[in-house]
């Protein structure tokens, strides 16, 4: 069984949190009983993402969507 700490460690090692892993973490936090080690691993991952040590695919996709919207707005001038 995959644990929250496993997903968090994988993202920390890669420096990247995929959209799939992010959704899986969200589901696990809502539906799985987890221990203090899992909670600490998740909090460490959150801090790493906030400080830029771990990139989030979901945020990168939103940035690209935002940029493409800005580009299309400015090109219509």
């Amino acid at each position: 069984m995959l644990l929250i700490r496993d997903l968090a460690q994988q993202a920390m090692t890669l420096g990247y949190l995929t959209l799939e892993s992010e959704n899986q973490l969200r589901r696990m936090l809502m539906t799985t009983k987890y221990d203090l080690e899992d909670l600490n691993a998740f909090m460490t991952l959150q801090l790493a993402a906030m400080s830029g040590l771990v990139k989030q695919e979901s945020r990168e996709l939103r940035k690209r969507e935002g940029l493409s919207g800005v580009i299309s707005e400015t090109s219509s001038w």
Side-chain angles (χ1 to χ4, degrees):
M1 180 168 110
L2 190 63
L3 301 171
I4 293 169
R5 68 190 89 155
D6 297 331
L7 282 173
Q9 184 59 47
Q10 180 183 29
M12 297 281 292
T13 300
L14 295 173
Y16 194 76
L17 181 63
T18 65
L19 190 56
E20 180 182 339
S21 292
E22 190 173 337
N23 288 329
Q24 192 171 7
L25 276 169
R26 202 173 279 117
R27 281 191 304 273
M28 292 169 78
L29 287 166
M30 290 189 305
T31 62
T32 307
K33 289 195 178 224
Y34 47 89
D35 61 16
L36 186 57
E37 189 175 345
D38 284 317
L39 182 60
N40 285 334
F42 178 70
M43 291 189 315
T44 300
L45 177 59
Q46 281 186 307
L47 291 172
M50 289 168 39
S51 67
L53 294 173
V54 172
K55 304 275 187 224
Q56 290 177 264
E57 182 179 14
S58 62
R59 288 181 187 254
E60 290 179 356
L61 291 172
R62 276 184 275 183
K63 281 182 191 176
R64 280 188 221 139
E65 288 172 3
L67 286 177
S68 65
V70 169
I71 291 169
S72 65
E73 286 177 21
T74 57
S75 64
S76 65
W77 288 2

